[in-house]
Amino acid sequence: MLLPLTIVAFLSSQIIARDHDYCYADDDNPYLYMATKTAYQFVHGGKTRYQTIPNCNPVQIWMLARHGTRYPKKSTITKLHTLPKLRDQIIYNHEIRGFGNLCDKDLKNLQSWNSIQNLTEDMAQYLTVQGEEDLKLLARRLQTNFPELLQPSAANITSTNYKFRSTDSQRTKASLTSFMHGLFGSSNAVTPEHTPANDTLLKAYKVCDSYQETLNDPSVFEESSKFGNGIEIENLLHNVSRRLGFRYNITTTSVGLMYDMCRYEKAWNVTKVSPWCAVFTVDELQILEYQEDLYYYYYTGPSREINARVGCPPLQDMFQHFQKLEGSEYSHQPKGIFYFTHSGSLQTTMTALGIAKDKVPLTASNYKEMSKRLWRTSEIGSFATNIVAVFYKCTTSDSPNKVMFYVAEKPLLFQGCDVGLCDWEYLKNKLGKEAFECSLDFCWDGSGATSLINGSLGILLFPALTLLFLGR
Ligand SMILES: *[C@@H]1O[C@H](CO)[C@@H](O)[C@H](O)[C@H]1NC(C)=O
Ligand SMILES: *[C@@H]1O[C@H](CO)[C@@H](O)[C@H](O)[C@H]1NC(C)=O
Ligand SMILES: *[C@@H]1O[C@H](CO)[C@@H](O)[C@H](O)[C@H]1NC(C)=O
Ligand SMILES: *[C@@H]1O[C@H](CO)[C@@H](O)[C@H](O)[C@H]1NC(C)=O
Ligand SMILES: *[C@@H]1O[C@H](CO)[C@@H](O)[C@H](O)[C@H]1NC(C)=O
Ligand SMILES: *[C@@H]1O[C@H](CO)[C@@H](O)[C@H](O)[C@H]1NC(C)=O
């Protein structure tokens, strides 16, 4: 009785296998989009994409950047230490039981994998060496492209000319110093601005009570958890389990840990192959990517109005700086303003700017239709991702003030602008109200909380009011 069963299991596992001679380790073109744990190296456009703008001179550069590649948080590190056990089972499945479809090379890589040894809890969320490099190289590319602003004489490297500020964490502070070092050859060339405990500029989404209260409402994460229980993930669990030689379905937790190990290792050392990436096909990596995109789409992205509201303080800061450059008296204004923060801040600011706003909302049921979505955290939310805005003075146009936006060093083709180059007056018309009238009062006055879907009362009232309004 045993033999036929084994043969059936063997045959069915062959059917769902990838090409039997496929080896991830030999793949010259692996899929590298890993949602918010994507290495900046694989997505930025800095090598070719900066534009020289004829008849225009840059006079100020404003930047909001996420910290570079970091180590996982403490609870993740603890869980990742269970992977050696899973690895041993996978090896056992292949070598002793004859199940599983990893190629020999991928299996050997997994067998000799031991980088987890050096990952200890005291490193949690610290910036990695690659993370320092991310920011240092970003600084150098900006400097090369904007020499007028970023190659000052030693005497002009001052805290009046260059403003630096980070949130209060090791990874953002170290990102700031790495960037500064890349720019001026020293980590303390300029004294950074003070970081207030209540950081309403760079951490509004964290300090805003009303916003935080909305996160208690499970409906915010409903689509990503629906997707997590849906058919795509179900098939993924099944296929990955068979590929690794398990005859039962492994858990989403195990899959999540392997995915995390794969993408963290790829981001820590961009030239190395992580054996854990061999566990997944491209299709599967894209499914995992979509689940995370869904999560952030509702958490910080365009799906909720409150996300744009907590994203306005950096926008306001940018507009206030640019406003001071409008006239001819701008030579005493700073040349560079550089902020270092977290993905939530970057994403809510992008939401406030209207970046990556899809016409059709992302949901648990439209994965296939959204394959060309704009909201793709791999592209807009990787490690070290950034928004750069450059203010120009131009001579030929009747409107001398222009602004160009870059996201991850790619020009942002803002609607209503000329291949990304925007008239400052147009921008003020379009976004000035959101920017200049930005207020976080709703975060703490209690009244805003209810109208922004706070708790069950809000949930009940909101649709009812909408219906009433529509009924008129
Ligand atoms: C772990 O750290 C030790 C000491 O720094 C080093 O010799 C070893 O190569 C590291 N191992 C891995 C797998 O990175
Ligand atoms: C410093 O910058 C100002 C304004 O950009 C410029 O006029 C001046 O020559 C610079 N100083 C030195 C020492 O380069
Ligand atoms: C943070 O600042 C805002 C506005 O200045 C204030 O209303 C709020 O109470 C502060 N929050 C904390 C925790 O101090
Ligand atoms: C995963 O499983 C589904 C359903 O069993 C199958 O249709 C699909 O082709 C599999 N995908 C891969 C990449 O093996
Ligand atoms: C594993 O999951 C697949 C797809 O959901 C299901 O068809 C199969 O019965 C499950 N296998 C076991 C052993 O539970
Ligand atoms: C990255 O991995 C490659 C290949 O394994 C190795 O040669 C290199 O030293 C590693 N780089 C760092 C910074 O650890």
Side-chain angles (χ1 to χ4, degrees):
M1 275 314 282
L2 262 177
L3 194 60
L5 268 180
T6 314
I7 289 169
V8 169
F10 179 72
L11 284 177
S12 69
S13 72
Q14 286 302 300
I15 290 163
I16 61 159
R18 289 176 288 183
D19 295 341
H20 67 282
D21 53 359
Y22 175 86
C23 276
Y24 180 81
D26 294 329
D27 192 338
D28 292 332
N29 190 21
Y31 192 70
L32 298 168
Y33 278 14
M34 306 283 183
T36 60
K37 309 292 183 289
T38 300
Y40 188 53
Q41 178 107 354
F42 304 138
V43 289
H44 75 70
K47 283 172 202 90
T48 51
R49 301 290 190 91
Y50 287 103
Q51 322 263 308
T52 342
I53 303 186
N55 306 311
C56 295
N57 273 321
V59 296
Q60 188 175 80
I61 182 164
W62 181 100
M63 179 183 88
L64 186 72
R66 185 187 180 199
H67 57 77
T69 305
R70 62 161 168 80
Y71 290 109
K73 58 181 189 215
K74 205 167 180 173
S75 59
T76 307
I77 292 180
T78 311
K79 286 188 222 140
L80 288 172
H81 277 274
T82 63
L83 278 177
K85 213 171 125 192
L86 186 56
R87 174 204 53 201
D88 294 345
Q89 284 170 343
I90 296 166
I91 308 286
Y92 180 82
N93 291 346
H94 281 76
E95 295 194 336
I96 310 295
R97 301 169 75 203
F99 297 156
N101 298 298
L102 291 179
C103 79
D104 286 349
K105 206 163 176 179
D106 289 338
L107 198 65
K108 276 216 178 66
N109 281 342
L110 204 55
Q111 205 155 14
S112 56
W113 171 80
N114 65 353
S115 62
I116 194 75
Q117 284 170 1
N118 285 0
L119 184 65
T120 54
E121 285 180 5
D122 58 346
M123 294 151 77
Q125 298 200 302
Y126 270 50
L127 196 67
T128 66
V129 174
Q130 179 61 44
E132 293 171 9
E133 207 64 5
D134 293 339
L135 275 300
K136 204 174 277 180
L137 297 177
L138 168 63
R140 298 229 174 103
R141 284 192 299 272
L142 288 173
Q143 186 171 51
T144 307
N145 283 281
F146 300 99
E148 308 91 331
L149 297 175
L150 302 179
Q151 292 181 14
S153 62
N156 267 341
I157 302 177
T158 64
S159 54
T160 317
N161 284 340
Y162 300 98
K163 299 207 173 295
F164 291 83
R165 178 169 154 182
S166 74
T167 64
D168 185 22
S169 69
Q170 190 275 343
R171 60 193 182 282
T172 46
K173 286 182 195 163
S175 293
L176 184 157
T177 50
S178 300
F179 185 89
M180 193 188 285
H181 193 280
L183 218 45
F184 301 137
S186 154
S187 306
N188 53 9
V190 173
T191 310
E193 293 188 331
H194 170 70
T195 304
N198 187 2
D199 195 346
T200 50
L201 173 63
L202 298 183
K203 264 181 124 163
Y205 72 113
K206 282 282 182 199
V207 302
C208 178
D209 291 346
S210 302
Y211 174 82
Q212 287 298 319
E213 281 163 24
T214 66
L215 302 181
N216 297 329
D217 178 353
S219 76
V220 176
F221 303 107
E222 195 180 348
E223 293 300 324
S224 69
S225 65
K226 256 195 214 160
F227 188 76
N229 293 318
I231 186 73
E232 287 89 356
I233 295 286
E234 208 176 86
N235 285 339
L236 182 151
L237 292 176
H238 180 67
N239 293 7
V240 167
S241 301
R242 295 307 163 275
R243 188 174 308 125
L244 300 182
F246 293 102
R247 299 176 72 182
Y248 55 90
N249 292 329
I250 57 173
T251 62
T252 47
T253 309
S254 296
V255 163
L257 286 176
M258 293 189 287
Y259 183 48
D260 269 350
M261 204 65 243
C262 151
R263 53 200 188 141
Y264 272 117
E265 283 193 318
K266 199 61 199 162
W268 294 337
N269 183 334
V270 293
T271 57
K272 208 164 155 179
V273 172
S274 168
W276 290 104
C277 294
V279 164
F280 303 105
T281 63
V282 173
D283 289 349
E284 289 160 359
L285 290 172
Q286 287 175 340
I287 287 167
L288 295 169
E289 183 190 9
Y290 187 70
Q291 191 180 6
E292 196 158 305
D293 284 356
L294 261 183
Y295 179 90
Y296 284 101
Y297 184 73
Y298 293 86
Y299 176 29
T300 48
S303 85
R304 300 193 303 151
E305 193 234 336
I306 196 170
N307 296 341
R309 290 182 75 178
V310 290
C312 73
L315 197 60
Q316 180 182 42
D317 181 88
M318 180 207 295
F319 271 61
Q320 285 172 345
H321 274 107
F322 286 173
Q323 196 173 34
K324 294 181 187 146
L325 310 170
E326 280 178 352
S328 52
E329 293 294 310
Y330 56 84
S331 62
H332 296 298
Q333 294 302 320
K335 309 278 176 277
I337 296 133
F338 305 108
Y339 297 128
F340 303 85
T341 180
H342 308 269
S343 62
S345 198
L346 255 293
Q347 289 181 11
T348 52
T349 304
M350 288 187 191
T351 300
L353 266 163
I355 294 175
K357 203 168 178 176
D358 290 282
K359 289 204 179 75
V360 177
L362 279 65
T363 68
S365 56
N366 66 3
Y367 166 64
K368 283 239 164 66
E369 294 91 301
M370 300 311 286
S371 64
K372 300 241 181 319
R373 65 191 173 279
L374 301 172
W375 184 259
R376 183 158 233 134
T377 57
S378 300
E379 285 179 332
I380 59 168
S382 72
F383 288 124
T385 196
N386 52 80
I387 304 169
V388 163
V390 185
F391 194 96
Y392 290 91
K393 286 281 178 187
C394 305
T395 51
T396 54
S397 163
D398 41 326
S399 52
N401 298 322
K402 308 241 187 229
V403 175
M404 180 97 186
F405 290 105
Y406 295 89
V407 171
E409 303 176 71
K410 292 172 186 163
L412 180 70
L413 301 181
F414 223 85
Q415 212 179 19
C417 303
D418 182 11
V419 208
L421 189 65
C422 304
D423 274 344
W424 170 235
E425 292 305 318
Y426 169 80
L427 275 182
K428 279 201 295 185
N429 278 334
K430 196 169 164 175
L431 286 168
K433 195 169 151 61
E434 280 87 342
F436 291 119
E437 292 172 21
C438 171
S439 161
L440 294 182
D441 288 349
F442 76 97
C443 291
W444 302 289
D445 68 7
S447 69
T450 322
S451 67
L452 287 160
I453 317 181
N454 168 30
S456 53
L457 186 66
I459 294 169
L460 288 174
L461 274 179
F462 199 63
L465 287 173
T466 311
L467 280 178
L468 264 179
F469 186 71
L470 288 174
R472 285 185 175 201

